[in-house]
Amino acid sequence: MIGCVKTSGRLAAFAVAGLLAALPACSGPDGRGGGAGARTGAEARAGARAGADTTRTEAPGTVFRGGHPGAAGAGDPYFPKLGNGGYDVTHYALTLAYDPGSGRLEGTAEITAKATADLSAFNLDLLGMEVLSATVDGRKAQVRQDGQELTLQPRDHLRKGAAFRSVVQYAGTPESITHDHGWREGWLRTGNGAVAFGEPTGSMSWFPGNHHPSDKASYDITVTVPKGVQAISNGTLRAQHTSGDRATFHWHQAEPMASHVATVAIGSYDIRTSRTRSGIPVVSAMDTTAGVDEDGAVLGRFPEIMEWAEGRFGPYPFSAAGVIVDQAADVPYALETQTRPTIPAGIFHITNVVHELAHQWFGNSVTPRTWRDMWLNEGFATYAEWLWTEDHGGASAQDHFDRNHAKAADDDEWDFPPAEPPSASDISGQPVYVRGAMVIHKIRQTVGDEAFRTLVRGWTLRHRHGHASTDDFTAYVEARAGRDLDSIWDSWLYGDGKPA
């Protein structure tokens, strides 16, 4: 997904950057696990403090040379070179300094991870930035950059199961990734700063990491900018201070987060705060140059939308909430950046807030195992829009379903099955969103309203802060329904053309 909002009654299908689309499939499995599970911030911080040495079993001075290079990709069916194999990241500590005038970014990425295989070298994804130095467990590592692949070779090989810490210093002018239709993602310069949009590939443009949704981690993101400029990110603001002509903001995301929903927004913002009835602090940033929602008609309803969503989807999965509203004029889509969705000023309205907030459950907390499972994100978020209008005196979900089902057989809504986009450029296509929502509605029709509500809340709790695939979902639904639902899967989820 990139975007997950309707901008003109239709959903744009995002093409893949040529760099990634042209890359061949990666090598076979190398022992890499399916991604991080739930980790507390305390655990991540403890791991970062401990480093790798406390987990080594060999005697001091022993050199291990039994490893092999980790895979240069996570094996995603659409982005085979995205992500990497051989390790699992537990925590990112990113320290950034940005000059809005020149566009130069200087960064230090401290990456705490666990080896899932014996490693002689491992890769990170980083595109367009120059690496100045790198260490592994405090010792200088050999560095090689080749396109998006940054390979680190530690002085000593890493044993499977060992925790280790890499520190990469880098700098440059971050590149945005332009897709075939002209829309961009990555680090995007704005009139008074920058905004980072990372899905599906753009996060590698501003920090090195394991940039695939299967590997989630906790984050600390510290950003220094000129005095008078603000920096907003994910999670909670831990510290803010000014020194001379520079201001620094430290944000902490305790719950696991996939890199594509990490964000930094730099500019001039009106910070608005509130609290939900369940006690979640809401911190929103409104671009002061946008002139949008000055009466608070949209943002003022955020606590109400949160309460409604918790009633529908279960307890909110994170310790912070809010939105970022920025001009970003050449970006006609919103993104579910974790805890604080980013919505361009021109499309900041209730429907998009509902959609992006729903993603905090569907996509951010319950994260797809691969980009093939994108419909689980977008189908549920689109269905959330239908449920909102149904619960607030508008069209029912059945009305939405019927209106879409009435579309002609040659409408692009029926171009491909939502669970099987034919290419990477189709993962944000119309069928993924709307036909995905229709799959959800067919399930609701089959099990009934009360069982459906219980089913949805159970799904978000079972996979809270974890990962799930389409197969996981269909098995879960059938177990709850007490029977097979092949008629739905065959016709609506995997079937070609318009279902009868």
Side-chain angles (χ1 to χ4, degrees), residues 9 11-12 15 38 54 65 126 145 150-151 173 209 224 244 249 252 264 288 311 358 373 377 385 460:
L11 298 168
T54 58
R65 294 295 183 192
L126 181 66
Q145 285 186 268
L150 168 62
T151 304
T173 302
T224 298
F249 302 81
H252 177 68
V264 171
T288 59
D373 304 308
N377 298 13
E385 298 177 35
T460 63

Side-chain angles (χ1 to χ4, degrees), residues 269-414:
Y269 298 99
D270 175 17
I271 306 298
R272 305 182 191 178
T273 62
S274 61
R275 191 172 290 271
T276 69
R277 290 187 180 181
S278 59
I280 302 296
V282 179
V283 178
S284 296
M286 309 292 289
D287 188 341
T288 59
T289 69
V292 65
D293 197 43
E294 293 175 343
D295 60 356
V298 178
L299 194 58
R301 298 188 69 182
F302 192 89
E304 172 196 352
I305 298 171
M306 277 280 291
E307 183 178 2
W308 170 83
E310 287 187 292
R312 278 289 188 176
F313 310 137
Y316 182 67
F318 303 112
S319 55
V323 296
I324 299 170
V325 179
D326 200 284
Q327 282 280 41
D330 63 342
V331 179
Y333 59 91
L335 185 64
E336 64 269 24
T337 45
Q338 190 156 304
T339 70
R340 201 157 284 116
T342 306
I343 305 178
I347 55 173
F348 182 57
H349 49 73
I350 293 292
T351 300
N352 285 344
V353 173
V354 169
H355 185 111
E356 303 306 330
L357 184 60
H359 273 309
Q360 304 307 306
W361 284 264
F362 308 106
N364 293 6
S365 177
V366 185
T367 302
R369 293 192 186 278
T370 75
W371 288 110
R372 176 174 285 150
D373 304 308
M374 180 76 146
W375 81 275
L376 285 170
N377 298 13
E378 301 304 342
F380 266 112
T382 301
Y383 199 68
E385 298 177 35
W386 298 4
L387 290 173
W388 173 264
T389 60
E390 176 176 287
D391 291 347
H392 291 82
S396 68
Q398 186 66 51
D399 292 335
H400 287 285
F401 180 94
D402 291 341
R403 185 180 70 249
N404 283 286
H405 195 212
K407 292 178 181 177
D410 60 354
D411 189 273
D412 60 6
E413 188 169 295
W414 317 113

